């Protein structure tokens, strides 16, 4: 419980802050993007159902790193906030790609679950299909009509009893 409520969110914010600081001090963007993707991957492996939360918390960490870092000489605070918001929004994409990659890996590596067979218990009779019920109803109607005529269709008329069949 403590792992998912305290440790993982702090770790996600720390990953985001580290990536944000790397982004501010490095001239290339490649390291930052890889760091964000790895952070999203690792956190989503740890708790896959909260993958969207981890992506957002990583973005908040990047924003905090940009806001807390002192402004560069000649840069206004408002521009620092705007650049932090842009960096946080851009950081969501590689973190989400890493998280979705983790979900795909977990889906591929999931254990095979036994196939459940949903069979009716032996004590209950098997329910007839619609065609079978229609055939049964037609047979009952034919038997009823045959009784009205003095015989059954299956065995013919009774001997010695008059019927309406042709050929008597």
């Amino acid at each position: 419980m403590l792992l998912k409520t305290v440790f993982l969110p702090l770790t996600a914010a720390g990953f985001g802050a580290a990536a944000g600081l790397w982004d501010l001090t490095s001239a290339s963007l490649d390291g930052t993007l890889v760091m964000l993707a790895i952070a999203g991957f690792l956190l989503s492996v740890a708790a896959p159902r909260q993958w969207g939360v981890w992506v957002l918390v990583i973005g908040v960490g990047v924003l905090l790193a940009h806001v807390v870092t002192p402004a560069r000489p000649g840069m206004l605070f408002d521009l620092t906030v705007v650049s932090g918001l842009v960096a946080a929004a851009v950081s969501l994409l590689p973190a989400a790609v890493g998280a979705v990659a983790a979900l795909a890996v977990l889906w591929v590596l999931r254990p095979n679950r036994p196939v459940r067979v949903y069979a009716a218990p032996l004590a209950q009779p098997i329910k007839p299909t619609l065609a079978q019920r229609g055939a049964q109803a037609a047979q009952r109607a034919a038997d009823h009509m045959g009784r009205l005529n003095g015989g059954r269709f299956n065995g013919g008329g009774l001997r010695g009893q008059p019927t309406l069949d042709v050929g008597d």
Side-chain angles (χ1 to χ4, degrees):
M1 182 74 174
L2 189 64
L3 175 77
K4 287 186 180 179
T5 58
V6 176
F7 180 71
L8 287 179
L10 289 177
T11 304
F15 275 135
L21 289 175
W22 183 277
D23 183 37
L24 288 171
T25 58
S26 176
S28 71
L29 191 62
D30 299 343
T32 306
L33 296 178
V34 169
M35 192 181 302
L36 290 167
I38 289 173
F41 184 89
L42 292 176
L43 290 166
S44 294
V45 166
R49 290 187 180 181
Q50 288 85 19
W51 70 272
V53 173
W54 306 139
V55 169
L56 291 176
V57 173
I58 289 170
V60 168
V62 171
L63 176 63
L64 288 176
H66 278 265
V67 170
V68 172
T69 305
R72 289 179 234 139
M75 186 179 237
L76 299 172
F77 178 73
D78 293 338
L79 292 177
T80 304
V81 173
V82 169
S83 71
L85 287 172
V86 169
V90 169
S91 71
L92 295 177
L93 183 64
V97 167
V100 170
L103 294 177
V105 167
L106 290 175
W107 184 78
V108 168
L109 296 178
R110 75 187 188 284
N112 289 335
R113 306 229 184 326
V115 177
R116 292 186 178 140
V117 178
Y118 295 103
L122 295 177
Q124 294 179 352
I126 297 174
K127 197 173 185 181
T129 64
L130 183 62
Q132 290 172 338
R133 288 192 320 221
Q136 289 170 354
Q139 182 66 42
R140 282 193 303 270
D143 287 344
H144 182 69
M145 290 302 292
R147 272 189 239 117
L148 290 178
N149 289 336
R152 296 188 57 93
F153 282 112
N154 292 341
L158 296 175
R159 290 193 183 140
Q161 297 290 327
T163 64
L164 298 177
D165 292 336
V166 177
D168 270 345

